[in-house]
Amino acid sequence: MSKIKVAMMQTKVFADKMENIRQAERMLSGIMGEKPDLVTLPEMFNCPYQTSNFPIYAEPEKGPVWEACSALAKKFHIYFSAGSMPEMDENGNVYNTAYVFDREGNQIAKHRKVHLFDIEVKGGQCFKESDTLTPGDRVTVFDTEFGKMGLCVCYDLRFPELARLMVLEGAKVIVVPAAFNMTTGPAHWEILFRTRALDNQAYVLGTAPARDLELGYTSWGHTVAVSPWGDIMKQLDEKEGYILTELDLDRVEQVRDQLPLLKHRRTDLYTLMHAEFRRD
């Protein structure tokens, strides 16, 4: 199958953890007439984006939110990229973790955010995820009936090496739950997603939370789908809503054949060094 229909849901984030699940289910019920194959949620879709909240909201893998997301995937018979959520391991470490479930509710991917968002922009945003989060250590690619896809979280996309490693492992689509803010969003959101798509000749899907001025961290929104040619297929504004778009995976190979960037890499002069490729 070369075509995949994607629904990208830009949802509001509620303080009540499970209200975010109920909201996702309501939105899913409303769009199932479109028969999406893959549905995506935003970064920290169930937790107001503050470092102090992450340990409070964190659950182990297969906790209540994980179970609810698995159940939604099975109920609606979709591939479900359940945004990201705070995860706590057996040692008390907290991660910004993205899960993907298949049509039967089985977990087929898990990505712990590798690059933590520690920034201080003069006159703009100051944030330090490392106050409460631990970085992950894996490049994440997963299999679907449509082919391989890559998965990373927000700030990870700023590092071209990670996207390239996913593509070298066969990814034609890169799924990115993300929450850029009111400083980085208008400056970098669109150009970054377009650049990663263009560099890697892959579809890149960025799903963000809806903007809520009452929260301490304000999301830029603007959920976006970008083609392998680097053009924006669809993009939302800041409000709640969703994108429905169709990805033609044959287009990936057409672009790569016409402009063979990956084949033209000079691996005799340079190579991307990395630890042994690991996957969950």
Side-chain angles (χ1 to χ4, degrees), residues 108-146:
I108 57 172
K110 175 181 178 178
H111 179 79
R112 290 169 168 170
K113 190 174 187 177
V114 171
H115 304 92
L116 298 185
F117 187 60
D118 287 5
I119 69 159
E120 186 170 356
V121 179
K122 186 176 181 180
Q125 188 75 28
C126 179
F127 204 84
K128 193 173 183 183
E129 282 188 328
S130 64
D131 283 343
T132 56
L133 292 180
T134 299
D137 62 359
R138 301 193 178 218
V139 179
T140 306
V141 172
F142 59 97
D143 290 307
T144 73
E145 68 200 70
F146 304 95

Side-chain angles (χ1 to χ4, degrees), residues 60-75:
E61 184 177 324
K62 299 189 178 179
V65 174
W66 185 101
E67 291 283 0
C69 290
S70 171
L72 288 177
K74 185 174 183 178
K75 176 181 178 179

Side-chain angles (χ1 to χ4, degrees), residues 42-55:
E43 182 181 23
M44 290 293 179
F45 82 96
N46 70 324
C47 172
Y49 204 98
Q50 294 289 339
T51 55
S52 58
N53 284 338
F54 300 151

Side-chain angles (χ1 to χ4, degrees), residues 40-268:
T40 67
L41 282 175
E43 182 181 23
M44 290 293 179
F45 82 96
N46 70 324
C47 172
Y49 204 98
Q50 294 289 339
T51 55
S52 58
N53 284 338
F54 300 151
I56 297 170
Y57 281 71
E59 298 178 359
E61 184 177 324
K62 299 189 178 179
V65 174
W66 185 101
E67 291 283 0
C69 290
S70 171
L72 288 177
K74 185 174 183 178
K75 176 181 178 179
F76 293 105
H77 196 59
I78 54 172
Y79 287 97
F80 193 29
S81 171
S84 76
M85 62 188 79
E87 177 215 358
M88 185 175 290
D89 70 9
E90 62 277 6
N91 297 316
N93 297 311
V94 180
Y95 302 89
N96 185 342
T97 301
Y99 297 105
V100 179
F101 302 89
D102 69 12
R103 296 184 189 274
E104 299 303 319
N106 302 306
Q107 179 182 305
I108 57 172
K110 175 181 178 178
H111 179 79
R112 290 169 168 170
K113 190 174 187 177
V114 171
H115 304 92
L116 298 185
F117 187 60
D118 287 5
I119 69 159
E120 186 170 356
V121 179
K122 186 176 181 180
Q125 188 75 28
C126 179
F127 204 84
K128 193 173 183 183
E129 282 188 328
S130 64
D131 283 343
T132 56
L133 292 180
T134 299
D137 62 359
R138 301 193 178 218
V139 179
T140 306
V141 172
F142 59 97
D143 290 307
T144 73
E145 68 200 70
F146 304 95
K148 293 182 183 293
M149 299 185 186
L151 177 67
C152 65
V153 178
C154 199
Y155 195 52
D156 284 339
L157 197 66
R158 287 186 178 268
F159 298 85
E161 299 89 348
L162 191 63
R164 178 54 55 84
L165 285 171
M166 288 187 275
V167 167
L168 292 178
E169 286 296 321
K172 295 183 179 180
V173 180
I174 299 176
V175 180
V176 192
F180 280 34
N181 56 62
M182 298 300 290
T183 299
T184 60
H188 300 149
W189 175 265
E190 183 177 310
I191 193 170
L192 179 60
F193 277 88
R194 294 186 70 186
T195 299
R196 287 295 161 268
L198 181 61
D199 283 349
N200 294 288
Q201 300 175 312
Y203 289 100
V204 183
L205 309 177
T207 310
R211 190 177 305 171
D212 187 341
L213 298 178
E214 295 182 2
L215 296 180
Y217 182 99
T218 306
S219 171
W220 172 241
H222 289 78
T223 291
V224 66
V226 183
S227 83
W229 192 250
D231 56 293
I232 293 176
M233 301 170 67
K234 289 189 179 179
Q235 184 170 199
L236 292 175
D237 55 17
E238 77 282 2
K239 298 183 288 295
E240 292 177 85
Y242 60 88
I243 286 174
L244 282 167
T245 190
E246 186 174 76
L247 314 183
D248 184 351
L249 300 186
D250 287 342
R251 176 67 172 149
V252 175
E253 294 307 322
Q254 291 168 5
V255 170
R256 291 178 180 179
D257 286 342
Q258 294 166 15
L259 188 62
L261 300 181
L262 298 176
K263 293 179 181 177
H264 287 166
R265 291 178 301 120
R266 288 291 304 274
T267 53
D268 58 323

